[in-house]
Amino acid sequence: MPAADVDCEEPPASLDQLTELPFPPVTKSHILNCSFNAWYSSYRRLTPKARVLPLSPPFLEYLRADGIILPSEDNINHLSSNDTDSGAFSYPASPTSSDTGDEEPDPSAAWLDIHQKIKSIIAELDGSVVPKLNWSAPKDATWISATNSMECHTPNDIYLLLKSSDFITHDLELAFDDCESDSEDDALSSNDPTDLSEPETGCRERELRDISYYLVLRKTIPSMTTSLEFRCFVRARYLLCICQRDLNYYPFLEALKTTLLKLIQKFFDASLQKSFSDDSFVFDVYIPPPHGKVWLIDINPWAPRTDPLLFSWLEILEMKGGKQCGGAIEDQEDTDGCNATNDSGSEEAIFEPEFRLVRRDDPEAYSFSTPQYGAHKLPKDVVDASADGGAGLRDFMGQWREILARQKGEEEIED
């Protein structure tokens, strides 16, 4: 909620009164500022080696298309000889192709330049890369990879991950989901009920077409350990809180906690606090042994779409720290007395961010064998049905049996 609408003398609303998260408006410009291509040039020396490749409309059309069709390549087969894809990675069988032996068309024919550039980048980065688009990496699709990771050695490894990922689909189809217009004129034009020139869906498609999409290929760090990746939350240019990204318990982290906190705070103060485009954002870092350097991995929107991991967004939004009064963020120039002061009139001790680690007694602290994105392996219909409990799954199974029976009946009629 906007700071101007909050009286500093009134307490924040109770949790029972909240019907939605008290987020400030998420603007389209903020989402674009967090796109990798928007900030990479400014922080290039702070990030692992990467190459950023602009994507053409034909390639984006390929990513958005249904099915997973991979270009022909000599060294693409990383699947076990025992694996069967049931047609998932090829065109459906047809009399023309199966009976005559004609080769299927190469899906990369319309974007051969990108295909060749990807090959060159992989070779340049020592034969192994980790892909992502503007905002998201296909972490939810590693189950389909032969390496069970995002490590890719060929262009087809990359295409397989990108086309199998719900996170990538979100980047392509829902980049501005739940966003507000940046200017009053844009807001008025988009909300004008008398303007029938373009339906809402058409307007959304036009906005997505206006986004410049990029494929980011990072050099694989062989010794990278996820236990030393951390997510950091910045509000009003104050580092508010930090937590692990890997949701497993690691005993050695507790002894490093003070050192890691000092490193992250120093890194933020020197490199991000005053230079990033927005006042509030979320950034990810990696601190490899011997814990002397902090690497910037990603910058994420200050928005509900960003996973708060060991926190909840409501908890973060209600945290006291920095320029804050009640439950709302105050402007850094505010002088109305919202900052706590001691008896002498000077400001209280410098705020220290909360650093949260997975605890030994956390019931989810030993999930090494549990895939973090396991739900993404199932069709969305199954996941939605399971959310309704046993009754939802029974209804889904009943509907599925009806569909199968109807298909069987249609096949018997055709025969």
Side-chain angles (χ1 to χ4, degrees), residues 47-355:
T47 65
K49 185 180 291 186
R51 297 292 179 265
V52 182
L53 180 62
L55 298 179
S56 64
F59 187 82
L60 293 174
E61 184 178 346
Y62 167 71
L63 290 184
R64 290 187 171 109
D66 292 335
I68 302 176
I69 307 167
L70 302 178
S72 176
E73 196 172 352
D74 294 336
N75 59 340
I76 64 169
N77 188 16
H78 290 289
L79 298 175
S80 166
S81 58
N82 295 326
D83 290 342
T84 58
D85 60 32
S86 301
F89 307 114
S90 59
Y91 281 97
S94 65
T96 302
S97 60
S98 60
D99 297 342
T100 65
D102 292 343
E103 293 186 2
E104 300 289 356
D106 186 346
S108 67
W111 37 271
L112 280 175
D113 55 334
I114 291 178
H115 186 72
Q116 294 302 323
K117 287 176 182 176
I118 291 174
K119 278 187 174 182
S120 299
I121 291 173
I122 292 174
E124 178 189 353
L125 298 180
D126 297 335
S128 181
V129 297
V130 175
K132 67 170 291 180
L133 288 194
N134 299 40
W135 299 279
S136 303
K139 290 184 176 182
D140 58 319
T142 54
W143 60 273
I144 204 170
S145 167
T147 62
N148 200 32
S149 71
M150 290 198 298
E151 184 176 343
C152 297
H153 302 279
T154 71
N156 277 6
D157 292 342
I158 296 170
Y159 308 149
L160 182 60
L161 283 176
L162 295 181
K163 287 187 66 64
S164 303
S165 170
D166 289 343
F167 295 170
I168 298 302
T169 299
H170 187 280
D171 276 14
L172 293 172
E173 305 296 341
L174 300 169
F176 292 144
D177 197 30
D178 297 325
C179 289
E180 295 192 5
S181 300
D182 292 275
S183 67
E184 185 175 351
D185 291 341
D186 290 342
L188 289 174
S189 62
S190 62
N191 295 324
D192 184 3
T194 64
D195 184 6
L196 304 178
S197 59
E198 189 172 18
E200 182 181 350
T201 54
C203 181
R204 183 168 61 248
E205 291 175 359
R206 176 174 53 80
E207 289 177 340
L208 292 173
R209 286 198 304 269
D210 291 340
I211 297 176
S212 297
Y213 281 97
Y214 295 84
L215 175 62
V216 180
L217 298 177
R218 285 188 169 119
K219 181 178 180 180
T220 300
I221 305 174
S223 58
M224 187 170 183
T225 170
T226 57
S227 61
L228 292 168
E229 290 186 76
F230 304 96
R231 176 151 290 181
C232 312
F233 299 83
V234 177
R235 184 181 62 197
R237 299 201 182 275
Y238 282 81
L239 182 57
L240 189 65
C241 54
I242 306 166
C243 70
Q244 288 175 237
R245 290 190 69 192
D246 186 337
L247 304 182
N248 288 293
Y249 172 67
Y250 296 97
F252 72 91
L253 285 179
E254 192 63 39
L256 290 172
K257 189 173 181 179
T258 300
T259 299
L260 295 171
L261 176 58
K262 289 180 179 178
L263 284 169
I264 294 172
Q265 183 72 66
K266 183 178 179 180
F267 172 82
F268 170 71
D269 292 345
S271 304
L272 289 174
Q273 184 178 33
K274 297 179 180 179
S275 61
F276 189 65
S277 305
D278 295 300
D279 291 346
S280 301
F281 56 97
V282 181
F283 67 97
D284 299 327
V285 296
Y286 174 57
I287 310 177
H291 315 299
K293 181 176 177 60
V294 178
W295 290 99
L296 178 63
I297 300 299
D298 212 349
I299 297 179
N300 310 287
W302 180 270
R305 68 179 66 182
T306 298
D307 192 344
L309 298 173
L310 294 180
F311 299 96
S312 71
W313 267 118
L314 181 59
E315 183 182 11
I316 293 172
L317 293 170
E318 292 294 325
M319 278 184 179
K320 310 298 182 184
K323 301 285 186 178
Q324 184 192 23
C325 176
I329 303 165
E330 297 299 319
D331 190 282
Q332 294 195 60
E333 302 297 326
D334 176 67
T335 57
D336 293 337
C338 290
N339 291 331
T341 58
N342 57 27
D343 294 338
S344 63
S346 61
E347 288 193 358
E348 292 284 359
I350 297 175
F351 170 76
E352 182 175 289
E354 178 177 352
F355 194 170

